[in-house]
């Protein structure tokens, strides 16, 4: 069953200062970190034993974007996730224990 979590990266996040001046976008590592930690809090996962299997960044995410993380716990222990802005998939990936 797919779960949804709102995700907000504030306009004043420190990563925007240098990525990129005049045309800020969310660095992929920040987007990934925020998404995985949101899933971990929501699903009550201990991330100590998890690893990232794959991730693809499909579209740039600007400051203050209205994001949603959709995730599904698979029977094999993998967690599949999509980061979306409206109905557009911005990033997608899989992590597992």
């Amino acid at each position: 069953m797919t779960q949804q979590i709102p995700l907000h990266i504030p306009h004043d996040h420190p990563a925007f200062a240098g990525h990129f001046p005049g045309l800020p976008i969310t660095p992929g590592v920040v987007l990934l970190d925020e998404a995985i930690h949101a899933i971990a809090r929501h699903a009550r996962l201990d991330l100590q034993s998890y690893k990232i299997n794959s991730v693809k960044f499909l579209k740039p995410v600007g400051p203050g974007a209205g994001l949603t993380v959709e995730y599904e716990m698979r029977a094999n222990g993998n967690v599949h996730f999509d980061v979306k802005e409206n109905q557009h998939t911005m990033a997608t990936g899989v992590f597992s224990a």
Side-chain angles (χ1 to χ4, degrees), residues 31-32 54-59 81-83 89-94:
L31 189 60
L32 180 61
S54 66
V55 66
K56 290 183 183 178
F57 300 100
L58 305 171
K59 296 183 180 187
F81 68 92
D82 294 317
V83 178
T89 302
M90 312 306 274
T92 187
V94 177

Side-chain angles (χ1 to χ4, degrees), residues 67-87:
L67 301 172
T68 302
V69 178
E70 295 181 0
Y71 75 93
E72 183 177 354
M73 308 289 289
R74 302 275 169 89
N76 64 0
N78 288 350
V79 180
H80 178 270
F81 68 92
D82 294 317
V83 178
K84 294 188 172 187
E85 183 176 15
N86 299 316
Q87 295 303 313

Side-chain angles (χ1 to χ4, degrees), residues 10-21:
H11 284 86
D12 61 350
H13 191 286
F16 290 125
H19 202 267
F20 296 96

